[in-house]
Amino acid sequence: MGQFPAMTQTALPADTASMVARAREVIEMNISALQQLEAAIDDSLARAVEIILSRPGYLVVTGMGKSGHIGGKIAATLASTGTNAFFVHPAEMSHGDLGMLRKDVTLLAISNSGESRELRDPLIYCQREGIPVIGITQRPNSFLGRSSAVCLTLPNAPEAHPDGLAPTTSTLMTLAMGDALAMVLTERRGFTAEDFGLHHPGGKLGMSLQSVRDWMGDRPPVPATVPLTATFAEVVSAITEGRKGAAAVVNADGTLAGIVTDGDVRRAFARGDLTGLTAADVMSPRPKVIDPTARMSDAIDLMTQNKIATLLVVEDDRPIAIAHIAELMQAGYVG
């Protein structure tokens, strides 16, 4: 099969400038819509937040068409930042899923026109069951607006579509309103970075927010340890068997005295005579350590800043694990 000819400056269509101008116009319309939204934010958002915080159940998000797609993203953002939320398709509610709307939930309903017929059944159900509705719409006098305990009204900004048919600026404003709601809720709940890490165990960001104890797991391997009096051969054997490139050196009571790494072993060999050498002779007496409650990001920073490949995890002054940069890289903690 032939390849497409390379596009060059001279091969571009004659109306390139008009296409670029139109694209910029769309972006400008979006910017203008967001600026209008910012100016329109009032205490209704605060009242919506208070309703959600006062309710013990889930926040159920619903919307039809493009509003539904935006609603799914809003629900995901809420769920990942401390607000128990999920999305339910409004048409599915009319066919049995209204059972998901327990009396302790709150409904966040999205419709630009406020008149989506698929929303009527869930809105009527909420009225009957005393379930508060928070609406997001451009038309506060619509059925959705009238059915809402709090109506988050979007500015009447024009759509970027030439005929105003395809939702563009309206969906962007809805998404921004959802983000604003989620972030205010996050701060009001005191949702921390550690909480975020619990909700995001996968991926580099979530993994970095895990604690060192999370990395260790419930059955961490016993770290290689040797007493201060261990012979040089015993030290090398412990490092080899531990497969972490290091061994912790401990006092008679089990508390940490130092560390012997592969580098310490090589330096000992370079000195020549190994006769009578003990762990106390070759160890580094003040190793870098980390507590198991610390974040993995802190452990990685400590290793990176000090240019070390191994890090002792110490609890109550006793070594309980050894982290090696290679295994952290393999596990995805280090990019």
Side-chain angles (χ1 to χ4, degrees):
M1 297 179 64
Q3 294 182 338
F4 290 108
M7 292 293 289
T8 64
Q9 191 66 33
T10 56
L12 290 173
D15 60 346
T16 296
S18 65
M19 290 190 289
V20 171
R22 174 56 178 155
R24 288 175 173 165
E25 181 186 16
V26 171
I27 300 301
E28 288 171 359
M29 293 179 71
N30 282 329
I31 292 172
S32 175
L34 290 177
Q35 290 173 335
Q36 293 177 58
L37 176 63
E38 179 190 13
I41 295 291
D42 57 20
D43 61 1
S44 60
L45 187 136
R47 288 188 284 117
V49 167
E50 293 305 324
I51 288 176
I52 295 170
L53 291 175
S54 70
R55 303 284 289 173
Y58 283 86
L59 177 62
V60 180
V61 184
T62 191
M64 192 67 192
K66 304 299 187 296
S67 294
H69 294 306
I70 297 299
K73 190 275 178 186
I74 292 174
T77 298
L78 288 162
S80 69
T81 55
T83 298
N84 294 327
F86 61 88
F87 179 83
V88 181
H89 196 285
E92 297 293 339
M93 290 193 198
S94 298
H95 294 273
D97 285 357
L98 280 174
M100 294 182 179
L101 299 183
R102 304 182 312 185
K103 290 183 180 294
D104 61 351
V105 308
T106 306
L107 182 68
L108 176 61
I110 304 169
S111 171
N112 192 43
S113 69
E115 299 291 350
S116 297
R117 58 183 177 83
E118 292 85 358
L119 284 178
R120 296 186 71 86
D121 287 343
L123 292 176
I124 292 170
Y125 179 85
C126 287
Q127 290 176 347
R128 185 170 66 243
E129 297 298 319
I131 297 171
V133 175
I134 297 169
I136 299 181
T137 180
Q138 274 192 343
R139 301 177 181 176
N141 294 324
S142 62
F143 186 76
L144 172 57
R146 298 193 306 273
S147 302
S148 299
V150 175
C151 183
L152 302 177
T153 304
L154 303 176
N156 190 23
E159 302 285 9
H161 186 272
D163 298 317
L165 301 177
T168 49
T169 52
S170 60
T171 50
L172 181 63
M173 289 189 294
T174 302
L175 181 60
M177 180 71 84
D179 285 344
L181 183 65
M183 294 305 100
V184 174
L185 282 165
T186 291
E187 294 183 7
R188 295 286 290 179
R189 293 183 189 279
F191 194 75
T192 65
E194 286 74 17
D195 297 326
F196 187 88
L198 289 174
H199 290 202
H200 299 75
K204 185 177 178 181
L205 176 60
M207 294 174 75
S208 70
L209 291 170
Q210 291 179 12
S211 70
V212 175
R213 197 182 299 280
D214 291 333
W215 163 76
M216 291 167 54
D218 59 347
R219 292 183 180 179
V222 177
T225 58
V226 293
L228 284 164
T229 56
T231 65
F232 185 77
E234 290 171 335
V235 171
V236 173
S237 177
I239 293 175
T240 303
E241 292 178 4
R243 299 183 177 181
K244 293 294 185 75
V249 183
V250 295
N251 298 304
D253 62 357
T255 57
L256 181 66
I259 189 173
V260 181
T261 66
D262 284 335
D264 294 320
V265 170
R266 289 193 297 272
R267 284 185 285 273
F269 273 116
R271 291 202 299 264
D273 186 10
L274 304 177
T275 305
L277 283 183
T278 66
D281 298 321
V282 297
M283 73 178 187
S284 299
R286 291 179 293 277
K288 299 297 180 183
V289 301
I290 197 161
D291 190 272
T293 60
R295 295 182 191 172
M296 283 302 296
S297 58
D298 295 332
I300 294 164
D301 288 345
L302 192 60
M303 298 172 81
T304 302
Q305 292 167 6
N306 291 280
K307 300 180 180 180
I308 54 177
T310 53
L311 182 64
L312 290 174
V313 183
V314 175
E315 187 173 40
D316 297 329
D317 205 26
R318 286 171 165 75
I320 60 173
I322 299 177
H324 193 282
I325 193 68
E327 67 178 328
L328 298 183
M329 291 177 66
Q330 186 176 13
Y333 288 95
V334 183

